[in-house]
DNA sequence: TAGAAATTTTAACGCTTAGTCAGTTTTTGT
DNA sequence: ACAAAAACTGACTAAGCGTTAAAATTTCTA
């Protein structure tokens, strides 16, 4: 019941615990990136932390909860991009370009190229439903931008649903080839993706 | 040593064996689609075949060999698209559009939306090297088309490597949402993908 | 239709790995 | 310095799963 997290402890202790949790998630994220969720053992996760496997159960009830937490945090970060785009830009073209660039940044920086989106089927049914719902909201936001662009004559008259799938695919696939230490410059990547994917929707 | 396949048996027997192998691969492909390679058990694979788990070992030395065979056949099919595009069309724009449309068709028809490309890390080192090499040849072919398009002034001056990653991502991601019984019309999907992804490279 | 070949089954092994639990060490607040 | 809380450990359990060997069954061939 350690992970139940009664908020009875001091702020300092809570903060320490929060940090440790973050360390675990970060280590897990990298392990998932290298081997995928199922092939990652608990020992893989703690290998980088200098701690035994059983210590994990102090912070998470089971392995799947770690995966869920990774998803939860990652989705929270990208979900915020939609509002940010709306407040910063007016035209659908600019908004879409911004979201793509920033989403690419999350992929390369926060997630360090971890293919989290690939591991949704590994989640327990309940968690899976939550994550899929959040992802759907995000995709709906993108579809709305595109639909508005079509209505305003900025974009060609495509099926927004399919267009969003193409965009999400291109971005999620980054996990399969991007490595932080590699030669591809992350910001340039975001810029080219935005040009490529927004350009493909634009009226000539 | 059953799967060593000494070609001493009659043509009829060989043909029968070949068909059974294909059945196994097809069933495995769908299982991998639903659960991913690691989460798929041998019982999942044979569940649809009405046969015991151990019967598989007559056709494949181990589970990983089944995954490899799936990859091998799928890649062989898409590799042929490059030559076909070259012989049918002259302009890079048309060639690229053709390859994208046909690749989407392979994803929806042959693979029925199986995310094979996601499972490369699960292959044994030797097999992995082979599959990656074949995939690299394919991607290099796409890069060549794009580079030629840039040289001829049809395409904007982008990094062909990144452009190909975006295209491959969009196509491979189809596996995560497409279902044969779903509402999206497969040929229309290929057409829109081609428009979107080629259009994003085209000079305005 | 008998014998051979190919295929499938039964039964069981062995390894991996997630998860449990009781106890120990470390850290924290007073 | 001391008691309480938190963090961690080591040994163990249980289950799942890929794999193997040998026997049984079906299919093919002559």
């Amino acid at each position: 019941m350690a992970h139940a997290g009664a908020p009875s402890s001091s702020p300092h202790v809570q903060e320490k615990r929060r940090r440790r949790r973050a360390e675990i998630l970060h280590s897990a994220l990298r392990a998932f990136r290298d081997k995928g969720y199922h092939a990652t053992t608990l020992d893989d996760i703690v290998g980088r932390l200098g701690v035994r496997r059983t210590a994990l159960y102090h912070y998470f009830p089971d392995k799947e909860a770690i995966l869920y937490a990774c998803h939860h945090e990652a989705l929270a970060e990208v979900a915020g991009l939609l509002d940010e785009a709306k407040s910063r830009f007016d035209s659908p073209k600019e908004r879409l370009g911004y979201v793509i660039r920033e989403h690419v940044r999350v992929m390369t920086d926060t997630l360090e190229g971890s293919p989290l989106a690939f591991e949704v089927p590994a989640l327990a049914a309940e968690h899976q439903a939550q994550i899929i719902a959040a992802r759907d909201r995000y995709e709906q936001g993108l579809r709305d931008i595109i639909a508005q662009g079509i209505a305003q004559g900025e974009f060609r008259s495509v099926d927004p649903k399919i267009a969003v799938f193409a965009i999400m695919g291109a971005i999620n696939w980054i996990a399969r080839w991007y490595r932080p230490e590699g030669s591809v410059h992350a910001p340039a990547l975001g810029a080219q993706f935005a040009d490529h994917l927004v350009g493909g929707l634009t009226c000539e």
Side-chain angles (χ1 to χ4, degrees), chain A:
Chain A
M1 64 179 59
H3 42 266
S8 58
S9 46
S10 77
H12 173 238
V13 169
Q14 284 185 339
E15 171 66 12
K16 201 179 167 191
R17 180 184 176 82
R18 202 192 58 76
R19 294 244 281 253
R20 199 85 177 105
R21 253 183 74 105
E23 279 178 10
I24 293 172
L25 290 183
H26 187 233
S27 177
L29 200 65
R30 294 186 19 177
F32 296 157
R33 179 190 70 186
D34 294 339
K35 307 183 133 196
Y37 172 75
H38 280 107
T40 296
T41 68
L42 298 182
D43 285 332
D44 289 331
I45 295 175
V46 297
R48 317 158 195 259
L49 297 175
V51 111
R52 302 290 156 225
R53 185 189 340 142
T54 47
L56 293 180
Y57 290 89
H58 218 24
Y59 300 91
F60 300 94
D62 53 28
K63 185 186 174 189
E64 189 266 349
I66 297 175
L67 181 65
Y68 171 69
C70 288
H71 273 102
H72 191 78
E73 302 208 349
L75 264 172
E77 190 166 353
V78 295
L81 298 179
L82 286 175
D83 297 322
E84 192 66 22
K86 236 171 241 171
S87 71
R88 284 209 201 185
F89 302 99
D90 287 326
S91 81
K93 239 169 112 168
E94 285 175 309
R95 284 179 178 174
L96 185 58
Y98 173 80
V99 174
I100 292 175
R101 274 193 309 275
E102 288 301 299
H103 193 155
V104 169
R105 185 187 52 72
V106 172
M107 283 297 292
T108 55
D109 293 2
T110 307
L111 297 183
E112 298 179 37
S114 184
L116 261 199
F118 297 12
E119 305 287 8
V120 172
L123 291 167
E126 205 171 332
H127 286 160
Q128 196 173 132
Q130 278 183 254
I131 294 300
I132 288 179
R135 190 193 63 189
D136 284 350
R137 278 194 297 277
Y138 178 68
E139 292 185 358
Q140 185 58 52
L142 287 181
R143 286 201 281 270
D144 290 344
I145 294 179
I146 291 175
Q148 204 189 353
I150 295 172
Q152 297 184 5
E154 271 190 346
F155 291 156
R156 291 185 295 112
S157 173
V158 301
D159 181 344
K161 201 163 123 189
I162 293 182
V164 169
F165 281 142
I167 292 170
M168 292 295 291
I171 295 177
N172 284 325
W173 191 247
I174 289 173
R176 266 289 170 274
W177 57 266
Y178 176 82
R179 287 299 170 268
E181 67 276 13
S183 68
V184 171
H185 188 238
L189 172 63
Q192 179 166 335
F193 262 45
D195 287 345
H196 188 174
L197 296 168
V198 177
L201 298 175
T202 309
C203 292
E204 72 278 352

